[in-house]
Amino acid sequence: LEHRVAMENLTASISRTFLNSKPAVNDATVNEALSTVASFLKVPTAFVSEYSSDASTARLTHSWTAAGERSIANSAAELPIRTVAWWQLQLVHNNLIYIPDGSQLPPEAHQEREFIRSAQVGSILAVPMREGERVAGFIGIEANAPGRTFLVEDASLLRMLASIFRTALSHARSESDKAVLREQLAQSQKMEAVGKLSGGIAHDFNNMLLPIIGYTDMLLETLDDDDERANDLGEIRKAAGRAASLTRQLLAFSRKQVLSKDVFNINDCITNMEAMLRPIIGEDIDFDMSLASESLSVLADIGQIEQVVLNLVVNARDAMPVGGRIKVETGTRVGSDQAIRLIKDIERRENYVFVRVTDEGCGMDTELVAHIFEPFFTTKGLDGTGLGLSVVYGILEQHGGGVQVESEPDQGTAFTVFLPAVAARDVEAHEKAARDTDSPGGNGEHI
Ligand code: ADP
Ligand code: MG
């Protein structure tokens, strides 16, 4: 009876931990709960293994191992379920796997025997975590030496815990999925709306600028060379020119620009920009380039990509009024890399080329980062246009790329932009296609 009460207390306390964990259950909470279970049952290891959604593999997602004991985490990280058919049958039909000694397993379980031998599992007890009728994984305990016997009570405790862990885990997963989705959706809807608005305005505005520029030019031509009014008209012309360049940036953001794409090596592009960047950066700031040794081919509008790098470098400079270091790096990343969390989500299956611009400047908090890609958002007062990053965003979106921001107040900022990589074997084909369109084979007519 005493044991029974202790078990119920344990179960209740673990439920409470899961329920009270704010903002949601995370890996650390689960591992902590496993440690409570292991100490209670006096075993060195407790673990949770979860099945993939197609039930093809079992992955050890959580475990706790007592200090100084051998952890099963490495040897049992992922198991194809078809290789442990006997094991799976036990879970489904007996609601239990109990192996006090791996060498005593029946002949049909030879793969399990092999696994237990190679993973150096002593004795093991596990029960299924179910989702309806389906086995969604299992929770278990393990002792390093064979011959450790477990009791019926141990199994019933694990069964009670199985459903608690299952609920906590699926809740944790759906919460974090939801949070990420919500954030991405809000961000892309906001950018979409702002893009439409500013694109529409830019278009109308551009149409109004055309007559201003055109008539000013015509007036300028009618004036004599020594006419003083030429200066005034010149100023009007200059202002209209600046306004036109502003609208071009807005159009870039709202994806209304026509791209002229070529295959090129992004390292060459950046090397060629160096001479232009140095004077912009100024004397007080060190400039480092660390370009990947291999050629990084992308299919992109080179002028636009230069614009992206320029805007990021200028921002990095602005963030360091008293000097520091700007670093420009290039490299490749695989899209499936979970670490890539982007403002604009990219297809995860592709390989990406990245350019990263890092500074040691004032940095930003998350509240600020949430706004920086909006057109006209600036913290620089009249010195800023607030268009630099919205242009970066628009250009990357048009290229099927993305941008990632890592920043800490007073610690500096890293902007990483991603572009889909062109595989080496495709570079030649792209170049050939480009040559072919360059000479369409007409009859010498001109357009
Ligand atoms: P602008 O540079 O004209 O302000 P941007 O769109 O280029 O417009 O940048 C928007 C805002 O994002 C900046 O005003 C600044 O607050 C912030 N920002 C951009 N880059 C950095 C950086 N490297 N470090 C700190 N803050 C930055
Ligand atoms: Mg800027």
Side-chain angles (χ1 to χ4, degrees):
L1 183 66
E2 207 177 305
H3 190 64
R4 181 89 220 162
V5 170
M7 268 168 52
E8 271 162 18
N9 285 344
L10 178 80
T11 319
S13 121
I14 287 178
S15 309
R16 250 194 325 273
T17 317
F18 285 152
L19 282 172
N20 293 340
S21 51
K22 294 256 153 41
V25 173
N26 59 27
D27 291 346
T29 334
V30 176
N31 291 337
E32 179 76 28
L34 285 172
S35 97
T36 319
V37 175
S39 327
F40 183 83
L41 294 174
K42 305 200 177 55
V43 286
T45 298
F47 58 88
V48 165
S49 183
E50 293 181 83
Y51 286 11
S52 57
S53 53
D54 60 355
S56 65
T57 53
R59 203 161 65 82
L60 191 81
T61 50
H62 298 87
S63 68
W64 178 85
T65 301
E69 299 284 348
R70 189 181 39 75
S71 158
I72 60 166
N74 299 325
S75 42
E78 192 161 294
L79 276 179
I81 289 176
R82 58 178 167 69
T83 66
V84 286
W86 177 84
W87 181 302
Q88 174 69 3
L89 210 67
Q90 300 295 310
L91 282 176
V92 174
H93 292 298
N94 293 348
N95 231 357
L96 180 80
I97 304 171
Y98 175 40
I99 308 174
D101 181 351
S103 63
Q104 305 293 318
L105 283 171
E108 65 269 29
H110 63 96
Q111 280 174 311
E112 284 81 359
R113 185 162 42 218
E114 181 48 34
F115 163 71
I116 281 174
R117 202 188 51 75
S118 67
Q120 294 180 280
V121 172
S123 43
I124 197 164
L125 174 69
V127 305
M129 297 192 300
R130 291 184 185 270
E131 211 166 63
E133 278 307 290
R134 197 177 78 88
V135 173
F138 46 91
I139 176 170
I141 50 179
E142 189 244 333
N144 289 347
R148 158 82 198 246
T149 46
F150 296 110
L151 307 172
V152 181
E153 289 90 277
D154 298 341
S156 52
L157 174 64
L158 284 183
R159 287 207 186 96
M160 282 195 273
L161 292 172
S163 68
I164 295 171
F165 273 77
R166 179 69 209 155
T167 312
L169 286 169
S170 64
H171 188 65
R173 183 136 337 100
S174 68
E175 276 305 305
S176 70
D177 284 357
K178 262 190 270 168
V180 170
L181 279 179
R182 226 182 285 125
E183 193 184 306
Q184 279 174 356
L185 189 67
Q187 181 70 18
S188 66
Q189 279 174 342
K190 183 168 73 184
M191 297 309 270
E192 181 84 39
V194 184
K196 276 212 184 94
L197 186 69
S198 57
I201 295 173
H203 220 264
D204 291 348
F205 198 68
N206 217 28
N207 288 342
M208 290 186 251
L209 283 171
L210 289 179
I212 294 177
I213 291 171
Y215 284 112
T216 313
D217 283 347
M218 275 158 62
L219 269 178
L220 272 169
E221 271 171 34
T222 62
L223 295 185
D224 292 333
D225 286 347
D226 55 354
D227 196 319
E228 283 180 359
R229 290 172 299 179
N231 272 338
D232 299 348
L233 279 176
E235 289 302 318
I236 294 176
R237 180 69 181 75
K238 263 194 262 167
R242 279 200 298 275
S245 115
L246 210 80
T247 52
R248 263 198 304 280
Q249 296 184 59
L250 272 179
L251 289 172
F253 167 66
S254 62
R255 287 156 273 141
K256 292 218 165 112
Q257 260 187 351
V258 183
L259 296 182
S260 101
K261 287 189 182 179
D262 282 313
V263 171
F264 63 90
N265 176 358
I266 205 128
N267 291 330
D268 296 343
C269 164
I270 289 172
T271 311
N272 292 336
M273 289 181 76
E274 191 178 352
M276 182 255 278
L277 292 177
R278 291 260 179 208
I280 293 176
I281 291 170
E283 307 264 283
D284 296 337
I285 294 176
D286 294 328
F287 184 47
D288 263 7
M289 290 210 302
S290 150
L291 306 182
S293 51
E294 79 266 42
S295 170
L296 303 178
S297 299
V298 291
L299 175 64
D301 185 321
I302 192 163
Q304 303 256 30
I305 301 309
E306 285 174 348
Q307 183 76 56
V308 166
V309 175
L310 177 67
N311 291 6
L312 294 180
V313 168
V314 167
N315 280 347
R317 176 204 64 190
D318 292 347
M320 296 189 290
V322 292
R325 177 182 301 272
I326 296 178
K327 195 164 157 196
V328 177
E329 295 161 272
T330 61
T332 51
R333 279 278 274 282
V334 186
S336 62
D337 189 335
Q338 286 298 321
I340 307 185
R341 286 253 347 249
L342 300 162
I343 293 297
K344 173 70 195 169
D345 208 9
I346 55 182
E347 296 267 347
R348 293 198 176 274
R349 64 194 150 74
E350 282 185 81
N351 288 329
Y352 286 86
V353 162
F354 72 79
V355 180
R356 177 176 299 134
V357 178
T358 312
D359 65 59
E360 304 172 337
C362 57
M364 295 171 276
D365 58 22
T366 41
E367 168 65 16
L368 182 56
V369 170
H371 294 289
I372 55 178
F373 293 100
E374 291 165 17
F376 304 116
F377 178 86
T378 180
T379 54
K380 299 173 191 169
L382 290 176
D383 292 334
T385 61
L387 287 177
L389 289 178
S390 41
V391 166
V392 166
Y393 186 96
I395 292 175
L396 285 159
E397 184 165 55
Q398 234 180 337
H399 283 84
V403 52
Q404 181 187 45
V405 194
E406 293 150 286
S407 192
E408 228 15 276
D410 300 322
Q411 301 294 308
T413 304
F415 278 93
T416 312
V417 301
F418 295 89
L419 288 167
V422 176
R425 62 172 188 282
D426 297 333
V427 171
E428 181 61 25
H430 276 293
E431 280 166 357
K432 183 173 179 305
R435 277 196 304 276
D436 292 350
T437 47
D438 281 347
S439 48
N443 293 312
E445 304 92 335
H446 286 266
I447 298 172

